C-alpha cells in the first residue's frame, strides 16, 4: 500500500515595510493579536447591530407618518421598508432609488 502524502500548508508571512526589526516585530504582533481577537469573537446570532445614517426631513416625515399610523417604532418602519425593497425586482428598485433622489 502506498503511503499517503499530505500537503503541508504554508503560512504566508506578511512582509512589513518596516525599516528596522522592532517595527517588523510590532507589526507581526499586531497581526497575531488581531487574528486571535477575530477568532475569539462569537459568530453573529441575529443580534441587531446599531447603524447611524442621516435622512432629509421629507424621509423623517414619511417615517413619522408610518410610525404614527401603525403604532410601531421608527426602527420597525425602516425594517419594513427594507423588507419590501428586498422583494422588489431590479426595475422597481432602480425606479424607487431614482424617485428618492427627487424628494
Amino acid at each position: 500500500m502506498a503511503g499517503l502524502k499530505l500537503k503541508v500548508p504554508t503560512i504566508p508571512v506578511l512582509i512589513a515595510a518596516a525599516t528596522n526589526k522592532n517595527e517588523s516585530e510590532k507589526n507581526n504582533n499586531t497581526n497575531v493579536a488581531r487574528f486571535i481577537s477575530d477568532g475569539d469573537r462569537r459568530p453573529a446570532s441575529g443580534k441587531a447591530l446599531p447603524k447611524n445614517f442621516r435622512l432629509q426631513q421629507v424621509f423623517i416625515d414619511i417615517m413619522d407618518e408610518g410610525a404614527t399610523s401603525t403604532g410601531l417604532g421608527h426602527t420597525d418602519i425602516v425594517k419594513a421598508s427594507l423588507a419590501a425593497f428586498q422583494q422588489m425586482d431590479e426595475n422597481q428598485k432602480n425606479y424607487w432609488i431614482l424617485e428618492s433622489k427627487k424628494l
Side-chain angles (χ1 to χ4, degrees), residues 6-28:
L6 297 176
K7 291 183 179 178
V8 179
T10 57
I11 300 172
V13 177
L14 297 175
I15 300 173
T19 56
N20 61 32
K21 187 176 179 180
N22 290 338
E23 287 183 30
S24 177
E25 287 178 10
K26 183 178 177 183
N27 288 338
N28 190 29

Side-chain angles (χ1 to χ4, degrees), residues 88-98:
M88 293 178 188
D89 65 14
E90 289 300 315
N91 290 333
Q92 288 177 320
K93 286 181 182 181
N94 291 336
Y95 172 80
W96 285 109
I97 289 171
L98 293 173

Side-chain angles (χ1 to χ4, degrees), residues 48-54:
L49 299 174
K51 295 289 177 186
N52 294 326
F53 51 90
R54 296 179 186 272

Side-chain angles (χ1 to χ4, degrees), residues 57 59-69 74:
Q57 187 62 44
F59 295 111
I60 293 172
D61 293 342
I62 293 169
M63 191 168 47
D64 286 340
E65 181 183 324
T68 303
S69 67
H74 292 149

Side-chain angles (χ1 to χ4, degrees), residues 62-87:
I62 293 169
M63 191 168 47
D64 286 340
E65 181 183 324
T68 303
S69 67
T70 60
L72 299 173
H74 292 149
T75 303
D76 294 320
I77 301 302
V78 172
K79 286 180 184 178
S81 303
L82 290 172
F85 186 77
Q86 185 181 15
Q87 298 300 318

